[in-house]
C-alpha cells in the first residue's frame, strides 16, 4: 500500500509542478491581450494547450491510482476523493501530511489559474466590445446622410439635377 501512496504523491507533485509552470504562461497571455499582440497570443495558445495536455494526462494517472486505492480499501470509487484518502491514512502520518500539503497547494495554485483566466476573459470581452463599438462608428459614418449619396448620374441625391438643391441662385430672376 505504501507504494501506491508514493505513486499518488509523485503524480500529484508532477501535477503541481505543471500548474505552477503554467501560471507564468497565463500571465504572459494577459500581457499579450493588453498589448494586442495577436501573433504572440497564437503561440501562447499552443503552449497553453501543451500544458493542458500534460495536466490532463497526469489527472488521468491520478484518477487510475485513486481507483486502485478504492479497490484496496474496498471503497466506492465514485465517492472517494483526496480528502477522504488523506483521512484514511492515520497510520501513515508522513504520507498523510504530504498528500494534505499537495492537495492544499494544488488547490491554491488552481485558484490563481482560475483568477488569471477570469481576468483574461474579461480583457478579451472588453476588447471585443471595443472592436464592436469601433465597427459601429465606422459603419455609421459610412451610412450617415451627406456621405456617398450619389445616384447613377453622379448627382447628389436630394439636391436636384443642378446639384445645388432647392435654394440655388437663379440668375434669370
Amino acid at each position: 500500500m505504501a507504494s501506491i501512496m508514493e505513486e499518488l504523491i509523485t503524480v500529484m507533485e508532477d501535477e503541481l509542478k505543471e500548474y505552477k509552470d503554467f501560471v507564468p504562461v497565463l500571465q504572459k497571455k494577459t500581457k499579450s491581450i493588453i498589448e494586442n499582440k495577436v501573433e504572440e497570443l497564437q503561440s501562447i495558445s499552443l503552449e497553453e494547450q501543451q500544458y493542458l495536455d500534460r495536466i490532463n494526462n497526469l489527472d488521468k494517472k491520478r484518477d487510475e491510482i485513486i481507483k486502485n486505492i478504492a479497490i484496496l480499501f474496498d471503497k466506492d470509487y465514485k465517492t472517494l476523493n483526496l480528502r477522504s484518502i488523506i483521512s484514511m491514512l492515520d497510520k501513515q502520518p508522513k504520507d498523510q501530511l504530504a498528500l494534505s500539503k499537495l492537495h492544499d497547494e494544488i488547490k491554491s495554485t488552481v485558484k490563481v489559474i482560475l483568477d488569471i483566466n477570469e481576468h483574461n476573459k474579461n480583457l478579451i470581452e472588453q476588447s471585443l466590445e471595443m472592436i464592436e463599438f469601433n465597427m459601429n462608428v465606422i459603419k455609421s459614418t459610412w451610412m450617415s446622410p451627406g456621405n456617398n449619396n450619389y445616384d447613377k448620374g453622379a448627382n447628389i441625391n436630394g439636391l436636384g439635377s443642378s446639384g445645388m438643391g432647392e435654394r440655388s441662385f437663379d440668375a434669370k430672376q
Side-chain angles (χ1 to χ4, degrees):
M1 181 169 86
S3 67
I4 198 164
M5 290 305 160
E6 289 171 8
E7 190 178 352
L8 179 60
I9 290 168
T10 301
V11 168
M12 288 182 63
E13 287 170 342
D14 293 344
E15 197 171 4
L16 177 61
K17 182 187 179 319
E18 290 295 330
Y19 279 127
K20 284 188 172 190
D21 291 346
F22 188 43
V23 170
V25 173
L26 293 174
Q27 291 168 332
K28 187 168 69 171
K29 183 177 184 178
T30 302
K31 186 178 178 192
S32 295
I33 292 168
I34 291 169
E35 294 174 357
N36 199 25
K37 295 182 177 179
V38 177
E39 288 178 19
E40 191 173 299
L41 275 170
Q42 290 173 336
S43 69
I44 291 171
S45 291
L46 292 173
E47 186 177 1
E48 197 174 13
Q49 188 58 51
Q50 292 170 346
Y51 275 99
L52 293 174
D53 289 343
R54 289 193 299 266
I55 289 168
N56 191 36
N57 288 336
L58 289 168
D59 194 42
K60 286 178 184 175
K61 281 184 187 178
R62 182 172 41 96
D63 201 44
E64 285 300 315
I65 294 169
I66 290 174
K67 283 180 184 176
N68 291 335
I69 291 171
I71 292 168
L72 259 166
F73 282 94
D74 195 29
K75 300 281 183 180
D76 180 19
Y77 162 74
K78 293 175 184 160
T79 61
L80 193 63
N81 61 30
L82 206 50
R83 278 284 162 213
S84 58
I85 292 172
I86 292 168
S87 66
M88 293 186 313
L89 295 175
D90 288 336
K91 295 179 179 154
Q92 296 174 285
K94 182 182 169 193
D95 291 340
Q96 189 178 40
L97 181 63
L99 283 175
S100 183
K101 283 183 178 181
L102 282 167
H103 176 267
D104 293 344
E105 206 168 344
I106 287 173
K107 190 175 178 179
S108 68
T109 305
V110 168
K111 169 125 178 50
V112 169
I113 289 170
L114 290 173
D115 290 344
I116 293 171
N117 275 336
E118 184 65 26
H119 181 65
N120 287 346
K121 176 186 166 202
N122 291 335
L123 287 172
I124 290 170
E125 286 174 354
Q126 289 172 1
S127 180
L128 289 174
E129 287 171 6
M130 185 58 81
I131 289 169
E132 184 177 1
F133 174 79
N134 288 336
M135 292 297 292
N136 287 336
V137 168
I138 291 169
K139 200 184 294 184
S140 70
T141 58
W142 286 347
M143 303 299 276
S144 67
N147 293 344
N148 300 329
N149 287 333
Y150 296 98
D151 62 14
K152 289 181 182 178
N155 294 318
I156 299 175
N157 288 335
L159 295 179
S161 62
S162 67
M164 300 296 287
E166 296 171 7
R167 291 190 232 150
S168 65
F169 175 75
D170 187 1
K172 296 179 188 174
Q173 291 179 353

